[in-house]
Amino acid sequence: MLSINNIEVVYNKVILVLRGISLHVDDGKMVALLGANGAGKSTTLKAVSGLLKPELGEVTRGTIVYNDVSVENGDPKNAVLLGIIQVVEGRKVFEHLTVEDNLVIGGSVQKDKGRARRDLETVYAYFPRLEQFKKRVSGYLSGGEQQMLLIGRALMAHPSIMLLDEPSMGLAPKIVEEIFSIIRRINTEERTSILLVEQNAKAALSLSHHAYVMENGRIVLDGPAEQIRENEDVKEFYLGLSQVGQRKSYREVKHYKRRKRWLG
């Protein structure tokens, strides 16, 4: 379904951020993209969804093919019409509008108004809390509720692939568990493909079918999620566990970065 082939991305025609990235998301699958801050994960999503242009970014090499259509350096509107929907990092809701108004905007690309009402009911079934607060101004929602609203708004556009950027950032563990449970349901029940960028590696790997690890703008490791979860380097650096199951301190993890076997 989605094939990223050896792409390079440059910002301001000077700053090379992605250095030959290749990854694939098959129809109906969930794929995790892991890596430290600054590795290039969000840039990868923006290269697919067309959001590089507003940030003066450009794919200068390689191809991005979605359902046999080349989308590198494409327009965000065309990406949405193709079914590529990105939920960006930072919980960017329309704060002055109600919850339901936000959702309706998400479905504005659909011409069938009757279907839009049914879509609202589907979103409320996944997120009962949104229905409870549908007349509330969205700027007054909690962080977790705003994240639910963003995912619900994306669902209103009928994505065939959803690009999720750090959906758990800054949220309480109980809310994170709830949101990830709903993401899993969306993947299985709606057959929506998902490319998930997430700092919570343990949660991401438990949800996903396949995983990629990024370092400094490159893919350094990939494989089935279960296999990646059992990799000793991933356990120690991303899950914070040593080979004997002891949690490592941040200082130890920081020093370990210098000797990871995949960089040797």
Side-chain angles (χ1 to χ4, degrees):
M1 171 172 276
L2 173 66
S3 181
I4 300 175
N5 305 295
N6 198 34
I7 67 167
E8 291 184 352
V9 168
V10 173
Y11 284 100
N12 294 311
K13 300 187 181 299
V14 174
I15 306 169
L16 179 63
V17 177
L18 299 187
R19 308 163 186 266
I21 292 291
S22 296
L23 64 82
H24 305 276
V25 182
D26 291 330
D27 186 26
K29 299 298 184 181
M30 191 183 315
V31 173
L33 183 57
L34 309 178
N37 287 332
K41 306 183 301 298
S42 294
T43 295
T44 302
L45 298 190
K46 292 173 183 177
V48 177
S49 65
L51 293 179
L52 282 178
K53 283 187 176 181
E55 299 182 356
L56 301 180
E58 180 183 11
V59 177
T60 57
R61 177 183 174 186
T63 61
I64 304 174
V65 179
Y66 179 72
N67 285 347
D68 299 323
V69 178
S70 295
V71 298
E72 69 273 3
N73 295 319
D75 183 87
K77 179 181 178 180
N78 291 336
V80 170
L81 294 176
L82 287 170
I84 304 170
I85 307 295
Q86 181 172 349
V87 179
V88 298
E89 178 187 348
R91 296 192 279 278
K92 295 178 174 61
V93 300
F94 298 109
E95 295 183 348
H96 61 292
L97 299 180
T98 67
V99 167
E100 189 155 297
D101 286 342
N102 269 266
L103 294 175
V104 169
I105 288 172
S108 61
V109 295
Q110 304 297 328
K111 296 181 179 179
D112 185 343
K113 301 305 179 183
R115 184 175 184 178
R117 172 49 57 181
R118 294 192 298 272
D119 291 340
L120 271 175
E121 294 172 358
T122 298
V123 170
Y124 289 148
Y126 281 116
F127 301 101
R129 203 174 306 185
L130 296 184
E131 183 173 24
Q132 179 183 352
F133 297 142
K134 63 183 179 181
K135 298 303 181 184
R136 180 174 294 185
V137 175
S138 60
Y140 291 106
L141 297 178
S142 69
E145 291 159 355
Q146 288 186 351
Q147 188 64 60
M148 293 176 187
L149 178 55
L150 285 177
I151 297 172
R153 193 171 70 191
L155 274 178
M156 291 291 293
H158 286 274
S160 51
I161 184 167
M162 191 181 296
L163 314 177
L164 293 175
D165 197 352
E166 304 285 6
S168 75
M169 180 177 288
L171 301 181
K174 186 175 181 180
I175 299 298
V176 170
E177 184 178 351
E178 181 180 353
I179 288 176
F180 278 154
S181 175
I182 295 169
I183 291 172
R184 186 196 298 272
R185 286 180 55 204
I186 291 170
N187 175 240
T188 56
E189 295 173 12
E190 305 296 325
R191 293 292 298 167
T192 302
S193 303
I194 295 175
L195 179 55
L196 172 65
V197 163
E198 179 55 56
Q199 287 285 341
N200 187 335
K202 182 177 180 181
L205 290 171
S206 70
L207 289 173
S208 302
H209 301 96
H210 199 89
Y212 293 82
V213 178
M214 288 188 72
E215 291 284 351
N216 300 321
R218 294 184 173 92
I219 299 294
V220 294
L221 186 69
D222 79 278
E226 291 184 4
Q227 177 183 318
I228 298 297
R229 189 165 57 239
E230 295 305 314
N231 181 282
E232 294 300 332
D233 291 303
V234 173
K235 281 184 179 181
E236 196 158 357
F237 187 66
Y238 290 104
L239 304 182
L241 296 173
S242 68
Q243 292 185 8
V244 294
Q246 296 175 334
R247 186 162 296 279
K248 298 183 72 66
S249 69
Y250 173 79
R251 180 178 178 84
E252 290 172 318
V253 170
K254 187 175 181 181
H255 284 296
Y256 181 72
K257 181 177 181 180
R258 300 174 184 170
R259 59 182 180 85
K260 283 181 292 187
R261 285 181 284 275
W262 62 59
L263 296 180

